[in-house]
Amino acid sequence: MRLGFIIRPPHQFLSLLLCPGLRIPPLSVLCAQPRPRTMAVSSSSWELPLVAVCQVTSTPDKQQNFKTCAELVREAARLGACLAFLPEAFDFIARDPAETLRLSEPLDGNLLGEYTQLARECGLWLSLGGFHERGQDWEQTQKIYNCHVLLNSKGSVVATYRKTHLCDVEIPGQEPMRESNSTLPGPSLESPVSTPAGKVGLAICYDMRFPELSLALAQAGAEILTYPSAFGSITGPAHWEVLLRARAIETQCYVVAAAQYGCHHEKRASYGHSMVVDPWGTVVARCSEGPGLCLARIDLNYLRQLRQHLPVFQHRRPDLYGNLGHPLS
């Protein structure tokens, strides 16, 4: 297992660095970019809530996938995390739409039951980033939902968000995606949820390309935005980090993005590079190659100071923008 750690900088440098990440192996320090000195961190980094971001390579084997995820969640709990994030399709990645539908389960099925037990056992919250859910309309539609499930430390489901933007794209050099072949779009956004790390806004993968969604979550009170993902090998190097950093900067939120990595089967591979971005747009933790996890501390005092010094939400002009959701003419 590969782990990323947050190391504590000397107190006198807290105004310059936010919890640099250390990835093992190789031994390397990921340094944050300088913050304005007027927004120095006042509290000890060890007092801040710790979150874990898990990176996996899902296959069609659901039990093996659970074993891998459970190992990472237990390690996150051992290291002191209060909340662990798993990527989109943490349950499985199938070879085709028919297999996707066959392997899917309802929220009260056996697999989610194993995760509720895992949350209770480890005593931490779980962000299950994209569960293939047979909804209440399964019998009528024979289609599923891509459902982001949030469990508390008692194993209770406290929020569900069903992906609203489905990925139907054809990128040259990358396997075509037709998510709508097996999946229905969700009907609504989910209000941000209070967790031990802060107020979490739920999204999934392709949603990150729609800034309207992230702004709506931020305006509803989100302090942490989550984009569990399975980005492709072509769009990943081009768009992954820049989109996540843009969403963090424009909303002044932390962004947590747990990602799938590597070859899932002969038809599909994912980019990986799970990461955490702070509200200044700095990548403060990241995974590199292979299954593993990285850790980051969430500093809400810093977030509030940044919003006070750079009050962009007070400067918005909704009277000028109108409805930005219409297709291009």
Side-chain angles (χ1 to χ4, degrees):
M1 181 188 299
R2 297 184 178 184
L3 303 178
F5 294 92
I6 296 305
I7 59 176
R8 182 185 182 185
H11 180 73
Q12 62 267 34
F13 296 126
L14 282 175
S15 62
L16 298 178
L17 299 176
L18 172 63
C19 300
L22 177 63
R23 178 73 177 176
I24 300 177
L27 291 175
S28 62
V29 176
L30 173 62
C31 293
Q33 297 298 313
R35 290 175 167 184
R37 291 183 181 273
T38 55
M39 291 184 284
V41 180
S42 58
S43 58
S44 166
S45 64
W46 296 116
E47 299 172 359
L48 302 174
L50 184 70
V51 300
V53 186
C54 302
Q55 182 165 283
V56 301
T57 307
S58 292
T59 71
D61 187 337
K62 290 160 64 173
Q63 280 308 305
Q64 182 59 47
N65 297 336
F66 174 75
K67 181 180 178 181
T68 300
C69 291
E71 181 182 359
L72 291 173
V73 169
R74 291 188 179 104
E75 183 65 11
R78 187 187 69 80
L79 293 169
C82 64
L83 175 55
F85 295 84
L86 292 173
E88 181 183 31
F90 68 94
D91 50 353
F92 64 87
I93 291 183
R95 296 176 181 85
D96 53 54
E99 187 175 44
T100 295
L101 295 175
R102 180 175 61 81
L103 293 175
S104 64
E105 296 186 18
L107 289 180
D108 59 358
N110 293 333
L111 185 60
L112 203 63
E114 292 185 274
Y115 279 97
T116 60
Q117 183 177 345
L118 179 65
R120 288 195 299 267
E121 170 197 327
C122 295
L124 82 172
W125 288 55
L126 290 180
S127 162
L128 306 178
F131 177 74
H132 296 86
E133 178 207 2
R134 292 189 183 185
Q136 295 182 351
D137 54 2
W138 163 254
E139 295 296 334
Q140 293 76 34
T141 65
Q142 293 295 295
K143 288 191 175 185
I144 60 174
Y145 294 96
N146 190 341
C147 184
H148 189 159
V149 183
L150 188 64
L151 303 178
N152 65 18
S153 57
K154 296 180 180 179
S156 300
V157 176
V158 295
T160 54
Y161 161 72
R162 293 164 179 88
K163 188 177 182 182
T164 49
H165 302 96
L166 300 185
C167 188
D168 287 358
V169 300
E170 292 188 15
I171 307 295
Q174 186 171 294
E175 185 75 17
M177 292 289 294
R178 286 286 180 270
E179 192 171 13
S180 64
N181 284 347
S182 60
T183 306
L184 295 169
S188 62
L189 304 183
E190 178 73 16
S191 297
V193 179
S194 294
T195 77
K199 290 185 178 179
V200 173
L202 304 180
I204 302 173
C205 197
Y206 191 57
D207 286 333
M208 76 175 68
R209 294 185 180 276
F210 303 90
E212 302 91 339
L213 184 151
S214 60
L215 291 172
L217 291 174
Q219 289 173 329
E223 297 162 324
I224 303 168
L225 300 178
T226 58
Y227 293 103
S229 298
F231 247 56
S233 56
I234 301 298
T235 54
H239 298 160
W240 173 249
E241 181 176 325
V242 69
L243 282 171
L244 295 173
R245 294 180 68 189
R247 298 294 83 85
I249 292 167
E250 71 195 4
T251 62
Q252 299 176 322
C253 288
Y254 280 89
V255 166
V256 178
Q260 292 281 345
Y261 167 83
C263 183
H264 308 289
H265 45 70
E266 64 277 7
K267 294 182 178 180
R268 187 167 174 186
S270 294
Y271 177 63
H273 293 76
S274 303
M275 65 178 63
V276 180
V277 185
D278 76 6
W280 188 251
T282 301
V283 178
V284 295
R286 84 165 79 222
C287 296
S288 54
E289 296 183 358
L293 58 82
C294 61
L295 303 168
R297 294 194 180 273
I298 304 298
D299 186 346
L300 295 181
N301 285 334
Y302 170 61
L303 178 149
R304 296 181 188 111
Q305 289 178 42
L306 176 58
R307 290 180 175 182
Q308 179 181 355
H309 288 281
L310 193 60
V312 293
F313 279 93
Q314 297 178 29
H315 299 155
R316 293 194 179 280
R317 292 289 306 275
D319 58 310
L320 301 180
Y321 311 145
N323 187 342
L324 297 179
H326 292 302
L328 296 178
S329 57

